Amino acid sequence: MRFSFQDLVLLRTAFELRRARVPPRTILQALTNLRDDLPSELPLTGLRITAAGAHVVVRDAGLPRDAVTGQLLMDFEMVAADDGGMAVLSGRSDALVDPGAQAARMHLEHGDALEAEDRHAAMQAYRQAIALDASLLPAYVSLGAMLCEDGACADAAAVFEQALSNGVADAYLHFNHAIALEDTGQPTAAMESYQAALLLDPQFADAHFNLARLLQEAGNVQGALRHWSAYRRIQRDLER
């Protein structure tokens, strides 16, 4: 198999973030965003990526930013050029520029840490994070996912709709919203949410797959075939 520079960075990043105990949902969101931003070749200025608590920060030639939300951060782990190779330097991330966002992040990290031992407290922490920073995507995604896991998918859909009403635009958010709508028996609304996810990320394979399934169930064979074809094409590209 042949790996591009982007493949190597994403694989190494995924490994390091799991070792740093970053929540899987946050890793998925970060890598999805990073995939489109990474240069095709190793940048001369270096590419820096790190786990900052339960979050991921990245910097290339610009200011350090959160890989999921785009908010500014300080310091990080570095993937840089070293005689034509790659070097990883460990670092630590400090405070967010916005104090209110920093407090929200603390509640988010608290929620991430509590998920396995106290789900109610974790969800409360996510709600507090959202109250402090209405644009904090990971808090909405984590809270909604936990609610759906507990069988409260209608409440999860309401959380995702709150995020959307607050101007949070993200393909993964629309995707999770669609899943919640499916689980509450709203296939038409779910299809609209999958389509919204694909408008933001046309390469979102799982959104193509789920939308094709719903279209097929609704009798829209032509529409289903179009999204099945897109899903298979994306999978083939990934396998290459």
Side-chain angles (χ1 to χ4, degrees), residues 82-105:
D82 181 14
D83 295 330
M86 283 176 34
V88 179
L89 309 178
S90 295
R92 62 180 293 274
S93 181
D94 284 324
L96 291 168
V97 173
D98 182 349
Q102 182 179 6
R105 286 282 178 175

Side-chain angles (χ1 to χ4, degrees), residues 144 146-157 184:
M146 291 187 73
L147 286 167
C148 238
E149 288 166 4
D150 289 351
C153 286
D155 293 337
T184 56

Side-chain angles (χ1 to χ4, degrees), residues 8-239:
L8 293 174
V9 171
L10 293 176
L11 287 169
R12 176 59 186 267
T13 300
F15 174 77
E16 294 295 340
L17 296 178
R18 285 301 297 138
R19 191 167 65 174
R21 298 180 181 272
V22 175
R25 284 192 294 270
T26 301
I27 294 175
L28 178 60
Q29 295 161 33
L31 296 187
T32 299
N33 291 344
L34 281 172
R35 181 189 60 196
D36 297 328
D37 291 339
L38 288 174
S40 59
E41 302 294 339
L42 187 65
L44 295 177
T45 56
L47 180 73
R48 296 170 174 137
I49 303 169
T50 192
H55 315 292
V56 184
V57 291
V58 60
R59 185 173 75 178
D60 39 33
L63 293 172
R65 66 187 186 280
D66 184 288
V68 175
T69 67
Q71 291 179 313
L72 299 181
L73 294 162
M74 308 282 290
D75 210 1
F76 23 63
E77 179 177 89
M78 184 165 83
V79 180
D82 181 14
D83 295 330
M86 283 176 34
V88 179
L89 309 178
S90 295
R92 62 180 293 274
S93 181
D94 284 324
L96 291 168
V97 173
D98 182 349
Q102 182 179 6
R105 286 282 178 175
M106 291 176 64
H107 284 295
L108 178 63
E109 292 178 10
H110 188 51
D112 289 337
L114 286 172
E115 276 200 27
E117 58 187 59
D118 191 337
R119 293 178 65 82
H120 176 73
M123 286 190 278
Q124 287 298 107
Y126 292 137
R127 292 187 188 279
Q128 290 173 321
I130 291 168
L132 289 166
D133 183 355
S135 67
L136 193 55
L137 172 65
Y140 290 110
V141 172
S142 295
L143 176 59
M146 291 187 73
L147 286 167
C148 238
E149 288 166 4
D150 289 351
C153 286
D155 293 337
V159 167
F160 298 135
E161 286 155 15
Q162 178 187 355
L164 294 169
S165 69
N166 286 328
V168 181
D170 181 83
Y172 194 66
L173 176 65
H174 283 291
F175 180 80
N176 279 13
H177 185 211
I179 291 174
L181 290 169
E182 275 200 72
D183 287 343
T184 56
Q186 303 179 69
T188 302
M191 284 190 280
E192 292 174 357
S193 288
Y194 286 129
Q195 288 167 343
L198 290 169
L199 283 175
L200 292 171
D201 183 3
Q203 302 302 307
F204 200 149
D206 287 345
H208 281 293
F209 182 93
N210 287 359
L211 180 55
R213 174 176 48 77
L214 288 179
L215 287 168
Q216 183 171 314
E217 290 173 0
N220 186 343
V221 177
Q222 184 175 358
L225 286 174
R226 184 170 66 253
H227 287 286
W228 286 128
S229 297
Y231 171 77
R232 287 193 292 269
R233 174 181 52 76
I234 294 167
Q235 291 299 103
R236 284 196 303 268
D237 290 344
L238 290 173
E239 289 170 3

